[in-house]
Amino acid sequence: MPETQVGIVGAGPAGLMLGELLAAADVETVILEDRSRDYVESRVRAGVLEHGTVERMDALGLGSRMHRDGLVHHGIYLQFNGERHHIDFGEHTGGKSIMVYGQQEVVKDLVAARLAGQRDLNFEAKVSRITDFNGPLGEGMPTVHYSVSGLDKELNCQIVVGADGYHGVSRQMVSPGSMRTYSREYPYAWLGILAEVEPSTDELIYAFHDRGFAMHSLRSPSVSRLYLQVDPTDSIDAWSDERIWEELQVRLHAGGWSLKEGPVLEKGITPMRSFVTEPMRFGRLFLAGDAAHIVPPTGAKGLNLAVTDVVVLAAALIDYFRSGDQRGLDQYSDSCLKRIWQAQNFSTMMTTLLHLDGTDDQFGRRLQRARQQQVVNSRSAAKTLSENYVGLPLAEPNR
Ligand code: FAD
Ligand code: DHB
């Protein structure tokens, strides 16, 4: 049976980035991905890279396309019922910024690097089971069971990393008694579109409106990305392109500003939830990224959390394979979970600040308005938002 040091399930940002970080230290990996290369490279998802994620791409030598095509942003706009306010990240974080660069571009860069290095990356390889992962490191080998074109295959690994997203199989292998999960559903979803039109804004606009949340993001000088709060039971068929633009025009409207429209290239509805698995390690199986946790997208933390998980995990795995030192692996869960709960806190704050909860709770509505006023009028509130948005330092996520 083929064998490797680290078997990685999933070629999303978490699995691919982990593969690159380990390859740089000569740790051997095999990546198994259910979908085709074309599918993973064209899946439209997140778009904001924290400055630390940008630094990771640079450190791996993968920054050239990102610096050429990505757009550096130094702040965001928050808009409350037509009144737009600028939050300046540079001013509040000592000059830090974020990069707008689509997740699928990050994935393309990582796939290209892996293939150029002739390292093992298997598309259309669906993992069905992981066995023998319980027990101490070094005493036994987990087996990853997968299939390619209907043929069953097995891979033995010293360690397995489940980087297979929220709907993946890795977390499902863990007996329910060995883990606790914490979750929260939200009474709304996001309808996202990609449109072939020059962005109408220089920086992202997060807008609260009496009809619900709307956001204007972008992907390039000629492609815009926009979102609308919708009902989680809504079907995309109920949202014609015309209706989407009408609603965006109303919710994003601000005096002296206009929203440019263009052909819709892609549209879809994403449910919103918070979810955390504790711990993130089960013997010789480690979970990373969306396989272990989900945040609501307001605040753009999902992709960045996936990257920071694997940065912590890669350092611990490198120590283990170089010298047998297990301390980093033993601390993996605890050190990641601190950051994950900080991100849950920030994403929940941004989500509840900006969405209509759909109830008739007038007290709650007035509290929300007070929080909206605070974030644009109080320097310390704007500083807290900015520090979280650009990304907390890796070593001290919960100062
Ligand atoms: P994923 O990107 O989900 O990658 C997991 C990979 O594992 C996938 O390629 C999948 O095909 C593969 N896989 C699954 N099961 C198996 C199996 N059995 N065998 C082999 N491979 C398997 N975040 C934001 O910050 N802003 C956004 O706007 C935003 N929009 C999103 C829209 C959608 C529709 C979704 C689903 C997520 C969105 N996110 C967003 C979240 C962000 O994209 C994720 O946090 C990020 O993709 C996490 O990366 P990951 O590598 O952990 O997981
Ligand atoms: C984007 C997505 C987000 O969730 C967010 O908070 C900001 C931008 C985007 O897709 O561009």
Side-chain angles (χ1 to χ4, degrees):
M1 193 187 305
E3 216 176 279
T4 191
Q5 287 179 302
V6 182
I8 301 176
V9 187
L16 289 165
M17 177 70 87
L18 180 65
E20 282 313 287
L21 292 164
L22 293 180
D26 290 327
V27 175
E28 198 187 289
T29 55
V30 171
I31 302 182
L32 302 168
E33 165 60 47
D34 179 16
R35 303 297 195 135
S36 68
R37 178 178 179 184
D38 188 45
Y39 183 91
V40 300
E41 288 188 346
S42 51
R43 193 165 37 189
V44 180
R45 285 184 169 179
V48 171
L49 309 187
E50 290 177 358
H51 77 104
T53 303
V54 171
E55 282 171 7
R56 292 295 147 195
M57 292 286 284
D58 283 337
L60 286 167
L62 299 178
S64 62
R65 230 168 50 90
M66 175 182 73
H67 288 291
R68 191 192 66 199
D69 299 341
L71 302 157
V72 177
H73 281 203
H74 299 279
I76 52 170
Y77 295 107
L78 293 179
Q79 179 170 316
F80 305 122
N81 279 320
E83 250 184 60
R84 198 166 289 174
H85 310 263
H86 189 242
I87 305 282
D88 187 327
F89 297 154
E91 181 189 334
H92 294 296
T93 65
K96 287 183 183 153
S97 57
I98 53 111
M99 174 81 81
V100 180
Y101 187 60
Q103 176 169 327
Q104 74 272 34
E105 304 307 323
V106 174
V107 166
K108 277 183 208 161
D109 293 338
L110 290 166
V111 167
R114 185 144 184 114
L115 296 178
Q118 299 188 330
R119 289 181 283 273
D120 212 324
L121 171 55
N122 303 272
F123 290 105
E124 299 179 68
K126 186 181 180 65
V127 173
S128 54
R129 279 181 311 136
I130 305 163
T131 51
D132 299 320
F133 60 84
N134 285 312
L137 295 175
E139 296 179 23
M141 274 202 164
T143 304
V144 181
H145 304 256
Y146 65 104
S147 61
V148 178
S149 308
L151 286 180
D152 289 337
K153 301 195 171 208
E154 292 179 358
L155 171 72
N156 270 349
C157 326
Q158 294 182 38
I159 284 174
V160 180
V161 177
D164 47 350
Y166 181 68
H167 298 288
V169 75
S170 304
R171 195 180 62 252
Q172 293 169 29
M173 296 296 109
V174 178
S175 70
S178 313
M179 75 179 163
R180 293 200 64 176
T181 57
Y182 302 86
S183 60
R184 183 175 277 185
E185 301 286 327
Y186 297 88
Y188 28 78
W190 274 18
L191 187 161
I193 64 164
L194 201 63
E196 197 175 354
V197 59
E198 179 193 338
S200 308
T201 180
D202 55 342
E203 285 180 341
L204 274 53
I205 306 169
Y206 287 82
F208 172 86
H209 189 276
D210 285 341
R211 292 167 67 108
F213 172 76
M215 185 165 83
H216 189 333
S217 181
L218 43 127
R219 286 291 179 273
S220 75
S222 58
V223 176
S224 298
R225 175 91 170 132
L226 297 115
Y227 295 97
L228 278 175
Q229 171 184 354
V230 297
D231 195 275
T233 60
D234 268 10
S235 154
I236 195 68
D237 301 332
W239 285 89
S240 65
D241 296 358
E242 196 186 15
R243 181 177 173 209
I244 293 171
W245 283 117
E246 261 173 37
E247 199 60 32
L248 286 166
Q249 290 287 2
V250 172
R251 295 192 199 177
L252 288 168
H253 174 78
W257 178 85
S258 63
L259 175 65
K260 297 182 195 92
E261 300 185 11
V264 173
L265 303 170
E266 221 244 27
K267 61 181 171 181
I269 293 180
T270 310
M272 286 172 80
R273 65 170 72 84
S274 292
F275 174 82
V276 181
T277 307
E278 291 185 357
M280 292 163 62
R281 176 202 176 167
F282 308 90
R284 299 180 284 257
L285 169 66
F286 293 76
L287 301 180
D290 277 16
H293 43 77
I294 298 278
V295 287
T298 337
K301 289 290 147 220
L303 162 65
N304 296 293
L305 271 185
V307 169
T308 42
D309 281 359
V310 298
V311 167
V312 174
L313 184 55
L317 286 167
I318 292 166
D319 279 351
Y320 173 66
F321 285 112
R322 278 200 182 139
S323 63
D325 184 349
Q326 300 190 13
R327 283 174 300 174
L329 292 175
D330 291 342
Q331 287 158 11
Y332 169 67
S333 269
D334 285 349
S335 57
C336 286
L337 282 163
K338 280 184 193 153
R339 165 178 295 276
I340 290 156
W341 281 110
Q342 289 297 323
Q344 289 291 1
N345 184 32
F346 175 65
S347 307
T348 304
M349 184 283 283
M350 287 288 279
T351 301
T352 53
L353 184 77
L354 290 159
H355 289 73
L356 209 59
D357 74 1
T359 70
D360 201 23
D361 175 11
Q362 289 305 315
F363 190 86
R365 177 69 196 89
R366 277 160 179 74
L367 285 180
Q368 183 184 34
R369 193 176 301 152
R371 284 188 286 125
Q372 291 171 348
Q373 286 162 350
Q374 185 184 44
V375 82
V376 292
N377 291 323
S378 149
R379 277 190 64 80
S380 59
K383 183 171 164 62
T384 300
L385 187 153
S386 302
E387 286 175 346
N388 279 274
Y389 201 102
V390 301
L392 298 172
L394 193 58
E396 39 174 336
N398 57 343
R399 286 164 302 159

